[in-house]
Amino acid sequence: MTTQASRGRPPTQLTLLSPAKINLYLRIVGKRPDGYHELETVMVPLDFGDTITLQLRKTSITLECDNPNLPADDTNLALRAAKLMAETFQAEKGVKIILQKRIPLAAGLGGGSSNAATVLRGLNRLWQLERSVTDLDPLAAQMGSDINFFLRNGAARCRGRGEIVEPIPCRLTATVLLANPGFGISTAWAYQRWAEQNRPLTVPPTDISLLCRALETGDLDGVARALHNDLERPALWKFPVLELIKTAMREAGAVGALMSGSGATVFGLFAKRAQAEEAAGQLRAQFGAGMWTQVCGISQG
Ligand code: C5P
């Protein structure tokens, strides 16, 4: 992060990483009366993401985004977060948000949620509101299910819609290869298909506590054995290319591979960075120019 502040004066500009996340575990445990699904999920933030610059303004709140496919209007979570922050805490200050998008859209990597959380955290500093994370929690929960996770920026076990966040220790230092086939999957579609197709699994998922223990001890093989995502089945059924990507990652040396969140991004966990780089090249060669890849690490917070 970089800031521009001169001798003791509060910053007038902040530049922040808005990280992507992956779900190492996602289990749907029921449907809620509000239409959402009750989850048990484990997410880790990555050291890769979008860049958000916040420039202090007098009163206006504006957004500039370098991706023309992402509207910079009131549907954009970054702008909504800033307006909600101003309104809730009567900040009477403005901001120009400059969003450099690197995380693919509708990709299961939490890009929009991360942007919202980064704006909440950043404005808390820029506007000197001095609110705690728990003060920001209700604003996050109001805008989406993963935003509370990103407010904390560490590995976490999440429940409810995803908004009940329990930070967990993580000593895993694997290299992560992200691969996105170039199409998005709507989160609402993924949950709906799951509900329609839901049948008991032939092999029940590993207990979430095994994953948490493996993360705590930094046991990559243990983490790979416990990877699970209930939303994978409907996505793999509709988009068989996702299974091909998983297989290609494993053949290239991934210890484990899984679709993240509601997809379509697949991630592979590698013991060595060089292996992940090579696998990325192989995937692009095998699947063509539409295949987006990114090699990164797990953020240590
Ligand atoms: O809250 P968020 O914007 O991330 O969710 C997008 C959509 O995904 C919701 O409108 C809902 O249809 C579905 N969803 C769900 N259960 C969750 C999270 C999301 O059904 N726990």
Side-chain angles (χ1 to χ4, degrees):
M1 182 198 2
T2 57
T3 63
Q4 273 184 13
S6 49
R7 264 187 253 123
R9 271 198 230 134
T12 55
Q13 174 168 317
L14 298 174
T15 299
L16 307 157
L17 173 73
S18 178
K21 58 85 179 161
I22 49 173
N23 300 72
L24 300 174
Y25 188 100
L26 191 157
R27 202 168 158 211
I28 301 170
V29 292
K31 183 123 196 235
R32 300 154 47 113
D34 62 6
Y36 279 82
H37 294 79
E38 193 77 21
L39 300 182
E40 268 223 292
T41 186
V42 171
M43 298 192 267
V44 290
L46 303 177
D47 61 12
F48 154 78
D50 300 332
T51 302
I52 292 185
T53 301
L54 301 175
Q55 296 176 343
L56 190 63
R57 291 287 182 272
K58 281 207 175 78
T59 52
S60 63
I61 298 180
T62 58
L63 169 68
E64 208 176 87
C65 175
D66 64 353
N67 184 338
N69 296 320
L70 184 65
D73 60 15
D74 278 342
T75 60
N76 192 302
L77 278 172
L79 193 57
R80 278 177 56 198
K83 290 188 175 174
L84 187 60
M85 191 82 173
E87 201 180 288
T88 309
F89 301 120
Q90 290 155 359
E92 285 168 12
K93 283 183 183 160
V95 66
K96 177 178 178 183
I97 307 166
I98 303 165
L99 170 58
Q100 288 170 274
K101 209 68 203 161
R102 296 199 188 89
I103 307 173
L105 308 180
L109 297 173
S113 299
S114 173
N115 293 167
T118 303
V119 167
L120 293 180
R121 288 171 59 165
L123 288 182
N124 194 31
R125 291 183 49 204
L126 193 73
W127 289 346
Q128 296 180 281
L129 299 172
E130 288 170 22
R131 304 290 164 159
S132 66
V133 170
T134 42
D135 290 335
L136 302 181
D137 267 332
L139 284 70
Q142 197 179 319
M143 289 185 288
S145 304
D146 291 338
I147 305 175
N148 300 78
F149 161 78
F150 283 112
L151 280 180
R152 283 154 181 89
N153 200 26
R157 181 175 175 169
C158 305
R159 296 190 185 79
R161 284 193 291 132
E163 85 288 10
I164 304 168
V165 184
E166 178 198 335
I168 56 171
C170 173
R171 292 192 184 83
L172 191 70
T173 52
T175 299
V176 181
L177 168 59
L178 304 173
N180 185 289
F183 55 82
I185 296 183
S186 136
T187 305
W189 176 88
Y191 279 97
Q192 197 185 329
R193 291 299 296 160
W194 175 87
E196 285 162 15
Q197 290 187 341
N198 188 25
R199 272 170 263 118
L201 293 167
T202 37
V203 184
T206 331
D207 193 276
I208 196 168
S209 59
L210 289 178
L211 174 67
C212 295
R213 215 165 306 143
L215 277 178
E216 182 166 7
T217 56
D219 168 14
L220 178 55
D221 290 320
V223 169
R225 275 196 302 275
L227 293 176
H228 177 78
N229 184 353
D230 269 348
L231 294 173
E232 239 193 4
R233 191 158 60 172
L236 297 188
W237 178 81
K238 179 151 187 211
F239 305 108
V241 65
L242 302 178
E243 186 68 67
L244 298 178
I245 298 171
K246 286 181 70 180
T247 305
M249 282 199 185
R250 287 205 199 89
E251 283 173 2
V255 191
L258 189 75
M259 187 183 83
S260 181
S262 54
T265 307
V266 170
F267 67 86
L269 301 178
F270 292 78
K272 294 201 176 81
R273 190 167 180 107
Q275 263 182 328
E277 306 268 14
E278 202 179 313
Q282 284 171 11
L283 281 173
R284 289 195 304 272
Q286 186 179 343
F287 294 96
M291 179 67 64
W292 172 90
T293 62
Q294 177 71 44
V295 175
C296 55
I298 294 166
S299 164
Q300 301 303 327

